[in-house]
């Protein structure tokens, strides 16, 4: 079992920034990728960004490319999401997730999930 605990999130005006963090514990040796998904009311959960275990490889959804940056903390099983130039359409619950394999954008391939943290962007 892998446990994921998120922090960060909150309310920000359009154009502002927020930083999310997620720490993993438990059977972390099984993790090959960590990422972020988001889910807005009435919508399906969608991929945002993911990183390989050591952070050397990353990939993003087109909707956030150039505005969001995913990073890993050296020596720790953590993943961060720096969100800049936020837009009202970024409003959602953001979930941290961990996967045993790197490269997928599908929620079905991520085995462990955090509890979610709310991000609200006002116009």
């Amino acid at each position: 079992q892998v446990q994921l605990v998120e922090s960060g999130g909150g309310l920000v005006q359009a154009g502002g920034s927020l930083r999310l963090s997620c720490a993993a514990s438990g059977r972390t040796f099984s993790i090959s990728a960590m990422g972020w998904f988001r889910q807005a009311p009435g919508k399906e959960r969608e991929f945002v960004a993911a990183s390989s275990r050591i952070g050397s490889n990353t990939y993003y959804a087109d909707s956030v490319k150039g505005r969001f940056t995913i990073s890993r903390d050296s020596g720790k099983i953590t993943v961060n999401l720096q969100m800049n130039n936020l837009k009202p359409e970024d409003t959602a619950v953001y979930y941290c997730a961990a996967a045993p394999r790197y490269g997928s954008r599908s929620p079905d391939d991520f085995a462990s999930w955090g509890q979610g943290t709310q991000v609200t962007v006002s116009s």
Side-chain angles (χ1 to χ4, degrees), residues 37-72:
F37 288 76
R38 66 187 181 186
Q39 188 166 18
K43 295 188 176 181
E44 293 186 352
R45 191 167 297 189
E46 66 172 357
F47 171 79
V48 175
S51 169
S52 60
R53 183 180 178 88
I54 61 173
S56 56
N57 295 298
T58 59
Y59 52 106
Y60 298 88
D62 287 344
S63 59
V64 306
K65 201 173 295 184
R67 299 188 299 122
F68 291 12
T69 302
I70 190 169
S71 63
R72 303 290 297 271

Side-chain angles (χ1 to χ4, degrees), residues 4-87:
L4 301 173
V5 178
E6 300 131 338
S7 60
L11 173 64
V12 66
Q13 288 188 332
S17 298
L18 284 173
R19 181 179 175 88
L20 306 180
S21 295
C22 174
S25 61
R27 297 170 64 88
T28 57
F29 61 84
S30 66
I31 298 174
S32 291
M34 292 184 71
W36 292 92
F37 288 76
R38 66 187 181 186
Q39 188 166 18
K43 295 188 176 181
E44 293 186 352
R45 191 167 297 189
E46 66 172 357
F47 171 79
V48 175
S51 169
S52 60
R53 183 180 178 88
I54 61 173
S56 56
N57 295 298
T58 59
Y59 52 106
Y60 298 88
D62 287 344
S63 59
V64 306
K65 201 173 295 184
R67 299 188 299 122
F68 291 12
T69 302
I70 190 169
S71 63
R72 303 290 297 271
D73 290 339
S74 178
K76 300 179 183 179
I77 310 300
T78 62
V79 64
N80 307 300
L81 187 68
Q82 178 65 41
M83 305 183 292
N84 297 328
N85 191 22
L86 282 159
K87 304 176 180 181

Side-chain angles (χ1 to χ4, degrees), residues 83-104:
M83 305 183 292
N84 297 328
N85 191 22
L86 282 159
K87 304 176 180 181
E89 52 263 41
D90 294 318
T91 295
V93 176
Y94 283 69
Y95 296 90
C96 175
R101 288 177 295 278
Y102 171 79
S104 176

